[in-house]
Amino acid sequence: MRFNRPHRAFRRKPGTTTGGRHRGKQYEEQPHEEQPYEESPHEVRSAGPLASSRRRLLITSATVVSAVLVAGLALRDASGPDSGAAGSRADCRPTALLEPPCGAWFGAFVPHERDNLPEKVRAYEKRVGRELDIVYTYHDMSLASGTRREGQLLTPEEQRVGEDHLLLLSWESKWWGGTKRQQPTWRQIASGELDDKVIDVQARRIKDYGKKVFLSFDLEMDTRTPANGTPADYVKAYRHIHDRFRELGVDNVVWTWITTGYLDHADEIRKMYPGDEYVDWVGYNQYNYYRCHDAGWLTFAQTQHATHDWIRANISDDKPLMLSEFGTAADANRPERQAEWYARVPGVLKDLDGVKAALQWNYRDPGPHCNLAVASDAAWDSLRKAVADPYLNQPLR
């Protein structure tokens, strides 16, 4: 699936943000013929086994005791909580809402093309030295027909990756590359106009998949008004999708509500929260943009604490939280700075109440100095060490 297209426009508001001005992800568009919302036959290829398997530690010549100790450190599924956490490995198994009780998940957005998601995920995992817990992908609300992957929640490639990863599907009220007439609106969604051709189709796809998935509707919704509608329109659309899935018996969705977390949007963010009964996890996206947005250098802690505390005080004091996108630009004048930034991640995470997942954004932004991907071998080494922390290595089952 291609994620190199513009998939949302961003509104700028005056005021101070916690992590620099928010970026607008810009990708190359692919032209598509105009199509009305109409039913189309759709075949889903059967998902083959993911070529990559769990990391295995080859023990050639060691004592039994040494082998057990090394294997306990190397096998991700055998990883327990950090030394300060109580309970056995069984106590640390994820809850029904995919919350890891003894630590946090580590995941990432990995850039990929139409059909190479499994290969790109494996390449990222090789570089970071471990398997991801959560793989993050994006979809629009075009028709789930033909070979076009954008409108297919749970593509064959995602299903392959989902065999041994959790999936976070970001579903946007857009038709990437479509005409103005094809763009869905929150009012259309809330009215049920798109149920038959779009909402119900995707609900059944997810239900047929069977495994639980994280699902986000219109991430960073606070940047989409007034173009997409009012905050009340968004809430109605979100609740309609949630209720429609429930009516169709879809019980394998973990509802994940993702905002920018930018506090100059605080009033809007508060108005756009659908309510505790409609949300399982709350996510937010905060970065160290540095020169990308002419901001000062911010540590990982500085990008997270203010938003985290505001969400706990104003949105939910007990929902599990997700850093659904986090990352940092590099500093060309101080190449070691990005490595130092990632080295601080585990310690900060442990102090953020309720943060149960952190997903690294390993991609660029448009504009000079806006590459937010890991930039050097030293930074990769630092990230590798950070995500090897036992706190970020929890059993998937």
PDB file of all heavy atoms in Angstrom, residues 249-280:
ATOM      1  N   GLY A 249     -22.233  -6.877  14.771  1.00  0.00           N
ATOM      2  CA  GLY A 249     -21.589  -7.923  15.551  1.00  0.00           C
ATOM      3  C   GLY A 249     -20.073  -7.923  15.497  1.00  0.00           C
ATOM      4  O   GLY A 249     -19.445  -8.958  15.756  1.00  0.00           O
ATOM      5  N   VAL A 250     -19.490  -6.775  15.188  1.00  0.00           N
ATOM      6  CA  VAL A 250     -18.029  -6.687  15.145  1.00  0.00           C
ATOM      7  C   VAL A 250     -17.524  -6.433  16.561  1.00  0.00           C
ATOM      8  O   VAL A 250     -17.708  -5.349  17.115  1.00  0.00           O
ATOM      9  CB  VAL A 250     -17.564  -5.552  14.206  1.00  0.00           C
ATOM     10  CG1 VAL A 250     -16.043  -5.541  14.115  1.00  0.00           C
ATOM     11  CG2 VAL A 250     -18.192  -5.712  12.829  1.00  0.00           C
ATOM     12  N   ASP A 251     -16.901  -7.442  17.146  1.00  0.00           N
ATOM     13  CA  ASP A 251     -16.446  -7.317  18.533  1.00  0.00           C
ATOM     14  C   ASP A 251     -14.940  -7.440  18.660  1.00  0.00           C
ATOM     15  O   ASP A 251     -14.413  -7.626  19.760  1.00  0.00           O
ATOM     16  CB  ASP A 251     -17.140  -8.355  19.420  1.00  0.00           C
ATOM     17  CG  ASP A 251     -16.879  -9.787  18.958  1.00  0.00           C
ATOM     18  OD1 ASP A 251     -16.091  -9.990  18.000  1.00  0.00           O
ATOM     19  OD2 ASP A 251     -17.467 -10.716  19.558  1.00  0.00           O
ATOM     20  N   ASN A 252     -14.225  -7.337  17.538  1.00  0.00           N
ATOM     21  CA  ASN A 252     -12.763  -7.461  17.581  1.00  0.00           C
ATOM     22  C   ASN A 252     -12.058  -6.152  17.232  1.00  0.00           C
ATOM     23  O   ASN A 252     -10.940  -6.153  16.728  1.00  0.00           O
ATOM     24  CB  ASN A 252     -12.292  -8.580  16.653  1.00  0.00           C
ATOM     25  CG  ASN A 252     -12.733  -8.417  15.203  1.00  0.00           C
ATOM     26  OD1 ASN A 252     -13.870  -8.029  14.954  1.00  0.00           O
ATOM     27  ND2 ASN A 252     -11.858  -8.720  14.267  1.00  0.00           N
ATOM     28  N   VAL A 253     -12.724  -5.020  17.519  1.00  0.00           N
ATOM     29  CA  VAL A 253     -12.111  -3.702  17.330  1.00  0.00           C
ATOM     30  C   VAL A 253     -11.806  -3.082  18.679  1.00  0.00           C
ATOM     31  O   VAL A 253     -12.656  -3.076  19.584  1.00  0.00           O
ATOM     32  CB  VAL A 253     -13.038  -2.767  16.524  1.00  0.00           C
ATOM     33  CG1 VAL A 253     -12.584  -1.315  16.637  1.00  0.00           C
ATOM     34  CG2 VAL A 253     -13.071  -3.182  15.060  1.00  0.00           C
ATOM     35  N   VAL A 254     -10.596  -2.570  18.821  1.00  0.00           N
ATOM     36  CA  VAL A 254     -10.205  -1.768  19.979  1.00  0.00           C
ATOM     37  C   VAL A 254     -10.215  -0.319  19.504  1.00  0.00           C
ATOM     38  O   VAL A 254      -9.362   0.095  18.711  1.00  0.00           O
ATOM     39  CB  VAL A 254      -8.816  -2.181  20.503  1.00  0.00           C
ATOM     40  CG1 VAL A 254      -8.396  -1.295  21.671  1.00  0.00           C
ATOM     41  CG2 VAL A 254      -8.826  -3.657  20.924  1.00  0.00           C
ATOM     42  N   TRP A 255     -11.183   0.456  19.969  1.00  0.00           N
ATOM     43  CA  TRP A 255     -11.438   1.797  19.441  1.00  0.00           C
ATOM     44  C   TRP A 255     -10.404   2.773  19.985  1.00  0.00           C
ATOM     45  O   TRP A 255     -10.315   3.010  21.182  1.00  0.00           O
ATOM     46  CB  TRP A 255     -12.856   2.237  19.790  1.00  0.00           C
ATOM     47  CG  TRP A 255     -13.872   1.364  19.108  1.00  0.00           C
ATOM     48  CD1 TRP A 255     -14.462   0.240  19.612  1.00  0.00           C
ATOM     49  CD2 TRP A 255     -14.367   1.529  17.789  1.00  0.00           C
ATOM     50  NE1 TRP A 255     -15.315  -0.303  18.680  1.00  0.00           N
ATOM     51  CE2 TRP A 255     -15.278   0.461  17.548  1.00  0.00           C
ATOM     52  CE3 TRP A 255     -14.153   2.469  16.774  1.00  0.00           C
ATOM     53  CZ2 TRP A 255     -15.957   0.317  16.338  1.00  0.00           C
ATOM     54  CZ3 TRP A 255     -14.837   2.330  15.572  1.00  0.00           C
ATOM     55  CH2 TRP A 255     -15.719   1.266  15.365  1.00  0.00           C
ATOM     56  N   THR A 256      -9.644   3.355  19.052  1.00  0.00           N
ATOM     57  CA  THR A 256      -8.487   4.175  19.400  1.00  0.00           C
ATOM     58  C   THR A 256      -8.689   5.580  18.847  1.00  0.00           C
ATOM     59  O   THR A 256      -8.759   5.773  17.625  1.00  0.00           O
ATOM     60  CB  THR A 256      -7.207   3.543  18.817  1.00  0.00           C
ATOM     61  OG1 THR A 256      -7.150   2.159  19.207  1.00  0.00           O
ATOM     62  CG2 THR A 256      -5.961   4.259  19.326  1.00  0.00           C
ATOM     63  N   TRP A 257      -8.802   6.537  19.735  1.00  0.00           N
ATOM     64  CA  TRP A 257      -9.081   7.933  19.372  1.00  0.00           C
ATOM     65  C   TRP A 257      -7.768   8.707  19.437  1.00  0.00           C
ATOM     66  O   TRP A 257      -7.125   8.770  20.493  1.00  0.00           O
ATOM     67  CB  TRP A 257     -10.101   8.504  20.345  1.00  0.00           C
ATOM     68  CG  TRP A 257     -10.516   9.925  20.113  1.00  0.00           C
ATOM     69  CD1 TRP A 257     -11.405  10.392  19.192  1.00  0.00           C
ATOM     70  CD2 TRP A 257     -10.076  11.074  20.854  1.00  0.00           C
ATOM     71  NE1 TRP A 257     -11.551  11.747  19.313  1.00  0.00           N
ATOM     72  CE2 TRP A 257     -10.746  12.193  20.324  1.00  0.00           C
ATOM     73  CE3 TRP A 257      -9.181  11.250  21.914  1.00  0.00           C
ATOM     74  CZ2 TRP A 257     -10.538  13.485  20.820  1.00  0.00           C
ATOM     75  CZ3 TRP A 257      -8.977  12.535  22.412  1.00  0.00           C
ATOM     76  CH2 TRP A 257      -9.657  13.633  21.860  1.00  0.00           C
ATOM     77  N   ILE A 258      -7.337   9.276  18.291  1.00  0.00           N
ATOM     78  CA  ILE A 258      -5.993   9.864  18.191  1.00  0.00           C
ATOM     79  C   ILE A 258      -6.085  11.335  17.819  1.00  0.00           C
ATOM     80  O   ILE A 258      -6.619  11.698  16.757  1.00  0.00           O
ATOM     81  CB  ILE A 258      -5.142   9.119  17.151  1.00  0.00           C
ATOM     82  CG1 ILE A 258      -4.952   7.650  17.564  1.00  0.00           C
ATOM     83  CG2 ILE A 258      -3.787   9.801  16.985  1.00  0.00           C
ATOM     84  CD1 ILE A 258      -4.245   6.811  16.519  1.00  0.00           C
ATOM     85  N   THR A 259      -5.548  12.185  18.672  1.00  0.00           N
ATOM     86  CA  THR A 259      -5.490  13.622  18.425  1.00  0.00           C
ATOM     87  C   THR A 259      -4.033  14.045  18.231  1.00  0.00           C
ATOM     88  O   THR A 259      -3.104  13.281  18.485  1.00  0.00           O
ATOM     89  CB  THR A 259      -6.097  14.382  19.620  1.00  0.00           C
ATOM     90  OG1 THR A 259      -5.926  15.787  19.434  1.00  0.00           O
ATOM     91  CG2 THR A 259      -5.425  13.996  20.918  1.00  0.00           C
ATOM     92  N   THR A 260      -3.853  15.296  17.778  1.00  0.00           N
ATOM     93  CA  THR A 260      -2.482  15.814  17.706  1.00  0.00           C
ATOM     94  C   THR A 260      -1.882  15.958  19.101  1.00  0.00           C
ATOM     95  O   THR A 260      -0.683  15.792  19.291  1.00  0.00           O
ATOM     96  CB  THR A 260      -2.439  17.202  17.037  1.00  0.00           C
ATOM     97  OG1 THR A 260      -3.188  18.126  17.831  1.00  0.00           O
ATOM     98  CG2 THR A 260      -2.985  17.160  15.630  1.00  0.00           C
ATOM     99  N   GLY A 261      -2.715  16.340  20.058  1.00  0.00           N
ATOM    100  CA  GLY A 261      -2.203  16.656  21.377  1.00  0.00           C
ATOM    101  C   GLY A 261      -1.662  18.065  21.485  1.00  0.00           C
ATOM    102  O   GLY A 261      -1.099  18.432  22.522  1.00  0.00           O
ATOM    103  N   TYR A 262      -1.853  18.888  20.454  1.00  0.00           N
ATOM    104  CA  TYR A 262      -1.351  20.261  20.517  1.00  0.00           C
ATOM    105  C   TYR A 262      -2.302  21.120  21.337  1.00  0.00           C
ATOM    106  O   TYR A 262      -3.487  21.230  21.037  1.00  0.00           O
ATOM    107  CB  TYR A 262      -1.134  20.812  19.100  1.00  0.00           C
ATOM    108  CG  TYR A 262       0.165  20.278  18.575  1.00  0.00           C
ATOM    109  CD1 TYR A 262       0.219  19.028  17.973  1.00  0.00           C
ATOM    110  CD2 TYR A 262       1.349  20.971  18.785  1.00  0.00           C
ATOM    111  CE1 TYR A 262       1.424  18.506  17.563  1.00  0.00           C
ATOM    112  CE2 TYR A 262       2.555  20.450  18.377  1.00  0.00           C
ATOM    113  CZ  TYR A 262       2.588  19.216  17.765  1.00  0.00           C
ATOM    114  OH  TYR A 262       3.783  18.674  17.369  1.00  0.00           O
ATOM    115  N   LEU A 263      -1.751  21.732  22.365  1.00  0.00           N
ATOM    116  CA  LEU A 263      -2.603  22.346  23.369  1.00  0.00           C
ATOM    117  C   LEU A 263      -3.197  23.680  22.948  1.00  0.00           C
ATOM    118  O   LEU A 263      -4.090  24.189  23.619  1.00  0.00           O
ATOM    119  CB  LEU A 263      -1.828  22.479  24.684  1.00  0.00           C
ATOM    120  CG  LEU A 263      -1.372  21.129  25.265  1.00  0.00           C
ATOM    121  CD1 LEU A 263      -0.741  21.315  26.625  1.00  0.00           C
ATOM    122  CD2 LEU A 263      -2.525  20.131  25.334  1.00  0.00           C
ATOM    123  N   ASP A 264      -2.730  24.240  21.820  1.00  0.00           N
ATOM    124  CA  ASP A 264      -3.455  25.400  21.304  1.00  0.00           C
ATOM    125  C   ASP A 264      -4.737  24.956  20.606  1.00  0.00           C
ATOM    126  O   ASP A 264      -5.556  25.781  20.212  1.00  0.00           O
ATOM    127  CB  ASP A 264      -2.592  26.253  20.369  1.00  0.00           C
ATOM    128  CG  ASP A 264      -2.021  25.493  19.194  1.00  0.00           C
ATOM    129  OD1 ASP A 264      -2.165  24.255  19.153  1.00  0.00           O
ATOM    130  OD2 ASP A 264      -1.422  26.133  18.309  1.00  0.00           O
ATOM    131  N   HIS A 265      -4.946  23.645  20.498  1.00  0.00           N
ATOM    132  CA  HIS A 265      -6.206  23.083  20.010  1.00  0.00           C
ATOM    133  C   HIS A 265      -7.043  22.533  21.171  1.00  0.00           C
ATOM    134  O   HIS A 265      -7.990  21.784  20.932  1.00  0.00           O
ATOM    135  CB  HIS A 265      -5.941  21.926  19.046  1.00  0.00           C
ATOM    136  CG  HIS A 265      -5.234  22.291  17.787  1.00  0.00           C
ATOM    137  ND1 HIS A 265      -5.069  21.386  16.750  1.00  0.00           N
ATOM    138  CD2 HIS A 265      -4.637  23.439  17.376  1.00  0.00           C
ATOM    139  CE1 HIS A 265      -4.412  21.963  15.765  1.00  0.00           C
ATOM    140  NE2 HIS A 265      -4.136  23.208  16.120  1.00  0.00           N
ATOM    141  N   ALA A 266      -6.709  22.888  22.390  1.00  0.00           N
ATOM    142  CA  ALA A 266      -7.293  22.212  23.552  1.00  0.00           C
ATOM    143  C   ALA A 266      -8.820  22.235  23.557  1.00  0.00           C
ATOM    144  O   ALA A 266      -9.465  21.206  23.793  1.00  0.00           O
ATOM    145  CB  ALA A 266      -6.752  22.836  24.843  1.00  0.00           C
ATOM    146  N   ASP A 267      -9.418  23.391  23.301  1.00  0.00           N
ATOM    147  CA  ASP A 267     -10.882  23.472  23.333  1.00  0.00           C
ATOM    148  C   ASP A 267     -11.508  22.559  22.288  1.00  0.00           C
ATOM    149  O   ASP A 267     -12.509  21.881  22.542  1.00  0.00           O
ATOM    150  CB  ASP A 267     -11.332  24.922  23.113  1.00  0.00           C
ATOM    151  CG  ASP A 267     -11.019  25.814  24.304  1.00  0.00           C
ATOM    152  OD1 ASP A 267     -10.754  25.258  25.390  1.00  0.00           O
ATOM    153  OD2 ASP A 267     -11.028  27.047  24.140  1.00  0.00           O
ATOM    154  N   GLU A 268     -10.913  22.545  21.104  1.00  0.00           N
ATOM    155  CA  GLU A 268     -11.447  21.711  20.033  1.00  0.00           C
ATOM    156  C   GLU A 268     -11.275  20.225  20.361  1.00  0.00           C
ATOM    157  O   GLU A 268     -12.170  19.406  20.136  1.00  0.00           O
ATOM    158  CB  GLU A 268     -10.741  22.052  18.720  1.00  0.00           C
ATOM    159  CG  GLU A 268     -11.574  21.775  17.497  1.00  0.00           C
ATOM    160  CD  GLU A 268     -11.405  22.875  16.457  1.00  0.00           C
ATOM    161  OE1 GLU A 268     -10.385  23.579  16.492  1.00  0.00           O
ATOM    162  OE2 GLU A 268     -12.304  23.014  15.617  1.00  0.00           O
ATOM    163  N   ILE A 269     -10.112  19.871  20.874  1.00  0.00           N
ATOM    164  CA  ILE A 269      -9.862  18.471  21.221  1.00  0.00           C
ATOM    165  C   ILE A 269     -10.898  17.990  22.234  1.00  0.00           C
ATOM    166  O   ILE A 269     -11.467  16.897  22.102  1.00  0.00           O
ATOM    167  CB  ILE A 269      -8.434  18.304  21.772  1.00  0.00           C
ATOM    168  CG1 ILE A 269      -7.402  18.539  20.656  1.00  0.00           C
ATOM    169  CG2 ILE A 269      -8.246  16.914  22.387  1.00  0.00           C
ATOM    170  CD1 ILE A 269      -5.966  18.595  21.146  1.00  0.00           C
ATOM    171  N   ARG A 270     -11.156  18.812  23.233  1.00  0.00           N
ATOM    172  CA  ARG A 270     -12.129  18.434  24.267  1.00  0.00           C
ATOM    173  C   ARG A 270     -13.518  18.222  23.657  1.00  0.00           C
ATOM    174  O   ARG A 270     -14.216  17.261  23.999  1.00  0.00           O
ATOM    175  CB  ARG A 270     -12.181  19.525  25.339  1.00  0.00           C
ATOM    176  CG  ARG A 270     -12.968  19.128  26.579  1.00  0.00           C
ATOM    177  CD  ARG A 270     -13.095  20.291  27.540  1.00  0.00           C
ATOM    178  NE  ARG A 270     -11.830  20.638  28.175  1.00  0.00           N
ATOM    179  CZ  ARG A 270     -11.140  21.736  27.919  1.00  0.00           C
ATOM    180  NH1 ARG A 270     -11.579  22.610  27.005  1.00  0.00           N
ATOM    181  NH2 ARG A 270     -10.016  21.992  28.542  1.00  0.00           N
ATOM    182  N   LYS A 271     -13.910  19.089  22.727  1.00  0.00           N
ATOM    183  CA  LYS A 271     -15.228  18.977  22.102  1.00  0.00           C
ATOM    184  C   LYS A 271     -15.330  17.764  21.185  1.00  0.00           C
ATOM    185  O   LYS A 271     -16.442  17.294  20.902  1.00  0.00           O
ATOM    186  CB  LYS A 271     -15.528  20.240  21.281  1.00  0.00           C
ATOM    187  CG  LYS A 271     -15.719  21.496  22.111  1.00  0.00           C
ATOM    188  CD  LYS A 271     -15.891  22.705  21.197  1.00  0.00           C
ATOM    189  CE  LYS A 271     -15.995  24.000  21.979  1.00  0.00           C
ATOM    190  NZ  LYS A 271     -16.061  25.185  21.077  1.00  0.00           N
ATOM    191  N   MET A 272     -14.206  17.251  20.714  1.00  0.00           N
ATOM    192  CA  MET A 272     -14.227  16.176  19.724  1.00  0.00           C
ATOM    193  C   MET A 272     -14.037  14.797  20.341  1.00  0.00           C
ATOM    194  O   MET A 272     -13.946  13.802  19.617  1.00  0.00           O
ATOM    195  CB  MET A 272     -13.166  16.444  18.642  1.00  0.00           C
ATOM    196  CG  MET A 272     -13.400  17.761  17.919  1.00  0.00           C
ATOM    197  SD  MET A 272     -12.224  18.122  16.597  1.00  0.00           S
ATOM    198  CE  MET A 272     -13.030  17.310  15.214  1.00  0.00           C
ATOM    199  N   TYR A 273     -14.009  14.737  21.660  1.00  0.00           N
ATOM    200  CA  TYR A 273     -13.904  13.433  22.320  1.00  0.00           C
ATOM    201  C   TYR A 273     -15.270  12.762  22.302  1.00  0.00           C
ATOM    202  O   TYR A 273     -16.250  13.316  22.820  1.00  0.00           O
ATOM    203  CB  TYR A 273     -13.403  13.608  23.750  1.00  0.00           C
ATOM    204  CG  TYR A 273     -13.177  12.297  24.474  1.00  0.00           C
ATOM    205  CD1 TYR A 273     -12.267  11.368  23.976  1.00  0.00           C
ATOM    206  CD2 TYR A 273     -13.873  11.991  25.643  1.00  0.00           C
ATOM    207  CE1 TYR A 273     -12.052  10.162  24.636  1.00  0.00           C
ATOM    208  CE2 TYR A 273     -13.654  10.791  26.308  1.00  0.00           C
ATOM    209  CZ  TYR A 273     -12.747   9.885  25.798  1.00  0.00           C
ATOM    210  OH  TYR A 273     -12.527   8.689  26.442  1.00  0.00           O
ATOM    211  N   PRO A 274     -15.398  11.556  21.738  1.00  0.00           N
ATOM    212  CA  PRO A 274     -16.723  10.929  21.594  1.00  0.00           C
ATOM    213  C   PRO A 274     -17.331  10.438  22.900  1.00  0.00           C
ATOM    214  O   PRO A 274     -18.532  10.154  22.944  1.00  0.00           O
ATOM    215  CB  PRO A 274     -16.444   9.739  20.662  1.00  0.00           C
ATOM    216  CG  PRO A 274     -15.127  10.047  20.019  1.00  0.00           C
ATOM    217  CD  PRO A 274     -14.359  10.818  21.037  1.00  0.00           C
ATOM    218  N   GLY A 275     -16.534  10.306  23.960  1.00  0.00           N
ATOM    219  CA  GLY A 275     -17.041   9.809  25.237  1.00  0.00           C
ATOM    220  C   GLY A 275     -16.402   8.485  25.608  1.00  0.00           C
ATOM    221  O   GLY A 275     -16.033   7.685  24.744  1.00  0.00           O
ATOM    222  N   ASP A 276     -16.298   8.252  26.900  1.00  0.00           N
ATOM    223  CA  ASP A 276     -15.611   7.063  27.385  1.00  0.00           C
ATOM    224  C   ASP A 276     -16.212   5.769  26.865  1.00  0.00           C
ATOM    225  O   ASP A 276     -15.507   4.781  26.648  1.00  0.00           O
ATOM    226  CB  ASP A 276     -15.617   7.039  28.919  1.00  0.00           C
ATOM    227  CG  ASP A 276     -14.622   8.017  29.524  1.00  0.00           C
ATOM    228  OD1 ASP A 276     -13.791   8.574  28.772  1.00  0.00           O
ATOM    229  OD2 ASP A 276     -14.673   8.220  30.749  1.00  0.00           O
ATOM    230  N   GLU A 277     -17.523   5.748  26.671  1.00  0.00           N
ATOM    231  CA  GLU A 277     -18.167   4.515  26.225  1.00  0.00           C
ATOM    232  C   GLU A 277     -17.866   4.197  24.768  1.00  0.00           C
ATOM    233  O   GLU A 277     -18.131   3.080  24.294  1.00  0.00           O
ATOM    234  CB  GLU A 277     -19.682   4.584  26.437  1.00  0.00           C
ATOM    235  CG  GLU A 277     -20.401   5.618  25.632  1.00  0.00           C
ATOM    236  CD  GLU A 277     -20.476   6.989  26.288  1.00  0.00           C
ATOM    237  OE1 GLU A 277     -19.522   7.372  27.016  1.00  0.00           O
ATOM    238  OE2 GLU A 277     -21.487   7.682  26.080  1.00  0.00           O
ATOM    239  N   TYR A 278     -17.276   5.147  24.047  1.00  0.00           N
ATOM    240  CA  TYR A 278     -16.955   4.957  22.632  1.00  0.00           C
ATOM    241  C   TYR A 278     -15.455   4.816  22.379  1.00  0.00           C
ATOM    242  O   TYR A 278     -15.053   4.596  21.234  1.00  0.00           O
ATOM    243  CB  TYR A 278     -17.482   6.132  21.806  1.00  0.00           C
ATOM    244  CG  TYR A 278     -18.979   6.143  21.674  1.00  0.00           C
ATOM    245  CD1 TYR A 278     -19.772   6.837  22.590  1.00  0.00           C
ATOM    246  CD2 TYR A 278     -19.614   5.465  20.642  1.00  0.00           C
ATOM    247  CE1 TYR A 278     -21.163   6.845  22.472  1.00  0.00           C
ATOM    248  CE2 TYR A 278     -20.998   5.474  20.515  1.00  0.00           C
ATOM    249  CZ  TYR A 278     -21.765   6.162  21.435  1.00  0.00           C
ATOM    250  OH  TYR A 278     -23.134   6.158  21.312  1.00  0.00           O
ATOM    251  N   VAL A 279     -14.655   4.958  23.388  1.00  0.00           N
ATOM    252  CA  VAL A 279     -13.200   4.974  23.214  1.00  0.00           C
ATOM    253  C   VAL A 279     -12.570   3.966  24.167  1.00  0.00           C
ATOM    254  O   VAL A 279     -12.889   3.931  25.358  1.00  0.00           O
ATOM    255  CB  VAL A 279     -12.636   6.391  23.483  1.00  0.00           C
ATOM    256  CG1 VAL A 279     -11.110   6.379  23.443  1.00  0.00           C
ATOM    257  CG2 VAL A 279     -13.197   7.382  22.472  1.00  0.00           C
ATOM    258  N   ASP A 280     -11.654   3.160  23.633  1.00  0.00           N
ATOM    259  CA  ASP A 280     -10.901   2.212  24.461  1.00  0.00           C
ATOM    260  C   ASP A 280      -9.510   2.737  24.801  1.00  0.00           C
ATOM    261  O   ASP A 280      -9.037   2.565  25.916  1.00  0.00           O
ATOM    262  CB  ASP A 280     -10.772   0.864  23.740  1.00  0.00           C
ATOM    263  CG  ASP A 280     -12.109   0.205  23.483  1.00  0.00           C
ATOM    264  OD1 ASP A 280     -12.957   0.210  24.403  1.00  0.00           O
ATOM    265  OD2 ASP A 280     -12.322  -0.312  22.366  1.00  0.00           O
TER     266      ASP A 280
END
